[in-house]
Amino acid sequence: IYSVTNDGGVWRSTDGGVTFQQKTDNMPSLSMGAIVLDPVNPSIVYAGTGNLYDGNGWMTTLAVKAVGIYRSIDMGESWTVLNPNGIFTGRGIARMAMPAGDVLLVGTSAGLFKSVNGGMTFGQPPTYDDGIPIIGGLVEDIDLDTSDPANTIYASINGQGIFRSTDQGDTFPDNLFTNSNGSPEDAPTNGAYAFVRMAQGVTDPDRMYATVQSSGGGFDGLYRSDDRGVNWTVMPGAAAPGAANGGCQCGYDQTVGVDPQDHERVYIGFQELYASVDGGGSFAVISANKVHWDHHYIGFSPPSHWGGAPAPTPMWVGTDGGIHSTSDGGVTVNNFHTSPIASNLFHHMDIGRGSAANNDWTYGGTQDTGTLHSCAPASHCGLAASISGPVPWEMGNNGDGTGVKVDPVNPLRAYGVRNGDYRFTNDGGKTWVNPANDDPDNPVPPTAWRFAIDFHNSARVWAVTSTRSGFRPGPGLWRSNDASGTNWSDITTFTSNVRAIANTATDSDVLWFGHNNGNVQYTLNATAANPTFSGMIAVDGAPGGTPVSDVVINPLNTDEVLVTYLSICGAPCNNPDNRMRRIFRTTDRGVSWSDIRGTDGNPVGNLPNLPTHSGVYDIGTLPPSIVVANDAGVLRSSNNGATWQKLGLGLPTADSKMLQIDDSVEPPVLRLATYGRSIWELAEAQGPILAVNHDLGFDIACIDERQTRIVQLFNVGSDPLIVNAI
């Protein structure tokens, strides 16, 4: 079984899903949306980069996450990148299909491309090497005809319809929506529709189903054809499951599948998964309290796995919560998220501090898998004694998690967010309290985003909130002084949403804020009854209007502050005069700022051209080292940003979102939360090391920019230290 995950790469199981292994951690992008096996030789695997439905919130990152197609001839053990003349750079891949050996069809954000030589070249016939798509538009689905898969192919294109080819994808002259009756071109939206996916029966290839999004974003309907797309009928039984109150986040979670042994059995996936046994006349939910929400994929085991059993055919689904299967139509479900698939999409993270036992605790806010916590070993954390091996993440809050903060003296206490609502726990995440947000007699922070806790008095907590309608609009700053988690005061209102808040153990009165409009702000009396705040401070040279992603205070000098941004430089990146504008430093409390991306004209030690998400100071060096996390990894500067180098070995090219450091313990603890590859910790090297700092630009280079290739050999055995740099 091969599975691709959003910003997690390719995973492979050889034991039916009991265990999975990661196969692309050393590749330049882990953003995946499609995978296909060669029908002649299944050891040949193709994986498409650039997930079109990333959900990461900063969608310009898609331009650097789409780097082409990975091809493996050994079941994913090794890969080559297929991207002739850069035709797939910045073009996300949604689907791929292979009607024959070496014939590869690739559906992208810029059309459907065809190759007849295993991806070496792409283009139109007869040479297939001109780089021009066969058909344009946003391709969302590619289906091989169930009765003629070698020749007849269907391509679903956003807002245009379902196109049919009868010449193995050389041409797509027929649109099943425009040359038919009752299709979305006719009703109910008079031709205004968007996302389209299709499925076809096997026991009756004339039976087709299409799930369609309206141009306004809602559910247009499930369309059924009994004559291969000549006529279509809207199935009213799908209206309730697909309605807004039924959970269609259309386009994002909108899929359809037909049982290959029964064309009357059709499944539609929205937030929940629904099944019909009467050809779409009626539907019943089959996933409630069994399968995680937000369904993206429906597939069926091949005939060789059926063992002569009739429908329902064993089925696999992919959701925001992982991989699931059922062999009885959803009565019972196998959930494979307990397998070691480290693919959680973390937005934010914090750790226990102050001792080795406290360091065992980690909390994080994730995309749709809630606020998670983990503690290892289990004996330290009050977890079940039966847990052996890696301690799993445990979900305390379902939904979308964002900011988290852990009490610096009590790791059982933490603050978090569920779908924008404030939560707190006193028992290590076993239970989370949700005070009523709209009770005027007991106000708590509405739409909480980030937290800070006083290092010297952990009963004092600050929370920043975003704009919310109602009697208590934001954005603003709230404070609690009693550690109850329920008694808060509204301190101030900001003129812009705050994306980052920073404090320091050096001085409890110092708080800094990073705003959505790119500006920063601070207070020097945060513990006072009525703190005073600086005005909005524009960071000189920062990209206008780009949100601040993090603010970091130097623990040894509170006048020194770092600000990171989510920007990508918009001019030729090899121009020494063009600052990258992603990390800025002030040493005079915001009076002046320096862009510390590196040194002008230095082709080696500068930050790569990627959005930067987080930073920390490591005060174990002099001057303190600056460590930052960006869209592809972690870098460190030991000279205040004059030069940068990749930090550590073994980290995938992961979207690195949040760094946390505890320098009160020895050795210090540094952890990294990633969006798609879970959480990592920097560890001491064991044994000899071969460190290859290959392409400091993380394999992402702008036009005409030189890439860096440095090889470092460290012999840490009994022989003298040897360092070779090339």
Side-chain angles (χ1 to χ4, degrees):
I1 300 168
Y2 295 85
S3 173
V4 292
T5 63
N6 187 13
D7 287 293
V10 176
W11 299 82
R12 188 188 74 189
S13 174
T14 56
D15 54 15
V18 177
T19 60
F20 281 84
Q21 300 83 37
Q22 224 296 325
K23 294 300 174 183
T24 51
D25 270 358
N26 63 338
M27 299 303 288
S29 172
L30 301 185
S31 177
M32 296 283 177
I35 192 166
V36 68
L37 306 183
D38 188 292
V40 176
N41 181 358
S43 293
I44 300 177
V45 187
Y46 297 86
T49 67
N51 191 318
L52 290 174
Y53 305 94
D54 189 288
N56 195 4
W58 186 253
M59 295 309 293
T60 55
T61 58
L62 184 63
V64 294
K65 291 181 181 177
V67 298
I69 299 167
Y70 301 157
R71 181 178 188 264
S72 173
I73 61 173
D74 53 11
M75 300 174 61
E77 293 300 323
S78 61
W79 301 86
T80 56
V81 180
L82 307 177
N83 190 16
N85 297 316
I87 61 173
F88 297 118
T89 300
R91 293 176 173 176
I93 296 173
R95 284 290 186 268
M96 296 190 297
M98 297 192 71
D102 284 338
V103 178
L104 179 63
L105 302 174
V106 182
T108 77
S109 55
L112 185 146
F113 293 81
K114 180 176 180 179
S115 172
V116 296
N117 55 11
M120 296 298 105
T121 62
F122 288 85
Q124 295 186 335
T127 59
Y128 304 98
D129 62 0
D130 58 12
I132 300 175
I134 301 294
I135 186 170
L138 169 54
V139 181
E140 289 157 339
D141 206 357
I142 304 175
D143 295 276
L144 305 182
D145 188 273
T146 58
S147 62
D148 184 22
N151 298 296
T152 303
I153 296 132
Y154 304 92
S156 301
I157 299 181
N158 188 294
Q160 298 184 39
I162 300 174
F163 292 80
R164 178 172 55 199
S165 170
T166 57
D167 53 12
Q168 208 175 68
D170 279 358
T171 61
F172 286 84
D174 301 322
N175 187 340
L176 302 188
F177 280 2
T178 59
N179 299 321
S180 61
N181 296 314
S183 78
E185 295 282 352
D186 299 323
T189 55
N190 296 318
Y193 56 91
F195 188 96
V196 179
R197 277 201 177 146
M198 188 205 85
Q200 182 185 17
V202 176
T203 52
D204 181 3
D206 288 338
R207 175 67 60 82
M208 291 180 168
Y209 300 89
T211 179
V212 181
Q213 176 191 26
S214 70
S215 59
F219 185 57
D220 189 42
L222 177 69
Y223 291 77
R224 169 179 148 180
S225 174
D226 294 329
D227 51 17
R228 295 202 186 213
V230 176
N231 297 283
W232 296 87
T233 301
V234 179
M235 305 308 295
N245 60 359
C248 179
Q249 298 175 126
C250 294
Y252 176 69
D253 46 28
Q254 182 184 341
T255 188
V256 60
V258 182
D259 193 304
Q261 298 185 86
D262 181 3
H263 62 273
E264 297 288 344
R265 180 181 286 272
V266 58
Y267 300 89
I268 52 177
F270 302 112
Q271 288 184 317
E272 296 275 20
L273 183 67
Y274 300 81
S276 171
V277 295
D278 57 6
S282 60
F283 283 88
V285 63
I286 62 171
S287 61
N289 300 315
K290 301 176 185 177
V291 177
H292 195 92
W293 275 14
D294 297 351
H295 287 73
H296 308 292
Y297 172 81
I298 298 173
F300 299 90
S301 294
S304 59
H305 294 197
W306 299 349
T313 303
M315 180 176 68
W316 297 76
V317 296
T319 74
D320 272 14
I323 303 168
H324 322 265
S325 73
T326 177
S327 58
D328 54 17
V331 177
T332 58
V333 175
N334 298 311
N335 293 312
F336 295 99
H337 58 267
T338 55
S339 300
I341 304 178
S343 58
N344 268 308
L345 300 149
F346 280 91
H347 289 294
H348 205 265
M349 177 263 296
D350 198 21
I351 64 176
R353 288 175 166 82
S355 69
N358 288 356
N359 290 156
D360 290 337
W361 288 88
T362 306
Y363 296 76
T366 67
Q367 190 275 325
D368 211 62
T369 51
T371 301
L372 309 179
H373 66 275
S374 181
C375 185
S379 59
H380 285 188
C381 312
L383 301 179
S386 61
I387 293 177
S388 61
V391 177
W393 289 105
E394 298 187 30
M395 182 171 65
N397 283 323
N398 198 355
D400 286 316
T402 50
V404 293
K405 202 66 181 176
V406 182
D407 190 309
V409 296
N410 177 14
L412 297 179
R413 184 172 185 82
Y415 301 83
V417 179
R418 179 184 185 270
N419 295 335
D421 290 334
Y422 159 69
R423 300 283 199 276
F424 71 92
T425 180
N426 282 320
D427 56 12
K430 294 177 183 177
T431 59
W432 289 79
V433 179
N434 174 217
N437 274 337
D438 295 317
D439 180 1
D441 297 324
N442 185 31
V444 298
T447 56
W449 174 252
R450 296 287 188 263
F451 303 91
I453 302 177
D454 191 335
F455 285 90
H456 300 289
N457 176 12
S458 63
R460 183 179 293 118
V461 184
W462 295 272
V464 291
T465 62
S466 59
T467 302
R468 176 174 177 163
S469 60
F471 72 91
R472 207 169 51 251
L477 176 68
W478 292 66
R479 185 177 63 199
S480 176
N481 289 319
D482 61 6
S484 70
T486 57
N487 297 320
W488 291 79
S489 300
D490 189 349
I491 300 299
T492 192
T493 298
F494 294 118
T495 58
S496 171
N497 280 336
V498 175
R499 291 187 60 92
I501 181 173
N503 66 329
T504 174
T506 307
D507 188 342
S508 296
D509 274 317
V510 176
L511 272 182
W512 278 76
F513 311 91
H515 287 268
N516 200 56
N517 61 11
N519 296 330
V520 294
Q521 199 169 7
Y522 65 83
T523 177
L524 300 180
N525 58 348
T527 65
N530 296 294
T532 56
F533 297 85
S534 71
M536 284 283 191
I537 300 172
V539 177
D540 185 32
T546 301
V548 170
S549 53
D550 200 11
V551 180
V552 189
I553 304 170
N554 184 344
L556 304 182
N557 176 12
T558 59
D559 286 342
E560 180 176 332
V561 177
L562 303 176
V563 180
T564 62
Y565 287 91
L566 299 176
S567 61
I568 296 176
C569 86
C573 299
N574 62 335
N575 183 347
D577 297 326
N578 178 39
R579 286 293 191 168
M580 297 302 183
R581 303 188 301 167
R582 286 180 303 277
I583 178 166
F584 291 80
R585 172 175 175 256
T586 180
T587 58
D588 52 17
R589 202 186 303 152
V591 175
S592 60
W593 297 88
S594 300
D595 182 338
I596 59 168
R597 60 95 188 223
T599 303
D600 287 346
N602 182 8
V604 176
N606 288 348
L607 281 173
N609 183 29
L610 294 171
T612 302
H613 298 282
S614 176
V616 296
Y617 276 99
D618 176 8
I619 60 174
T621 64
L622 288 176
S625 296
I626 300 169
V627 184
V628 297
N630 64 26
D631 259 23
V634 178
L635 297 101
R636 177 174 59 188
S637 174
S638 58
N639 52 13
N640 292 322
T643 57
W644 295 85
Q645 187 177 35
K646 267 182 153 179
L647 176 62
L649 304 177
L651 182 68
T653 312
D655 187 357
S656 301
K657 300 286 286 196
M658 173 59 61
L659 289 162
Q660 294 290 358
I661 191 169
D662 182 10
D663 50 27
S664 67
V665 296
E666 184 59 41
V669 173
L670 179 66
R671 288 192 188 133
L672 168 71
T674 73
Y675 189 85
R677 282 296 277 118
S678 199
I679 287 180
W680 298 70
E681 180 175 312
L682 186 66
E684 292 188 12
Q686 303 294 323
I689 305 170
L690 170 61
V692 182
N693 291 340
H694 163 62
D695 297 346
L696 187 59
F698 298 98
D699 297 305
I700 310 299
C702 295
I703 297 173
D704 297 328
E705 180 181 307
R706 287 179 54 191
Q707 292 182 327
T708 302
R709 299 177 186 272
I710 301 175
V711 177
Q712 297 177 326
L713 302 179
F714 296 89
N715 183 348
V716 294
S718 58
D719 294 333
L721 179 66
I722 302 173
V723 180
N724 293 324
I726 301 174

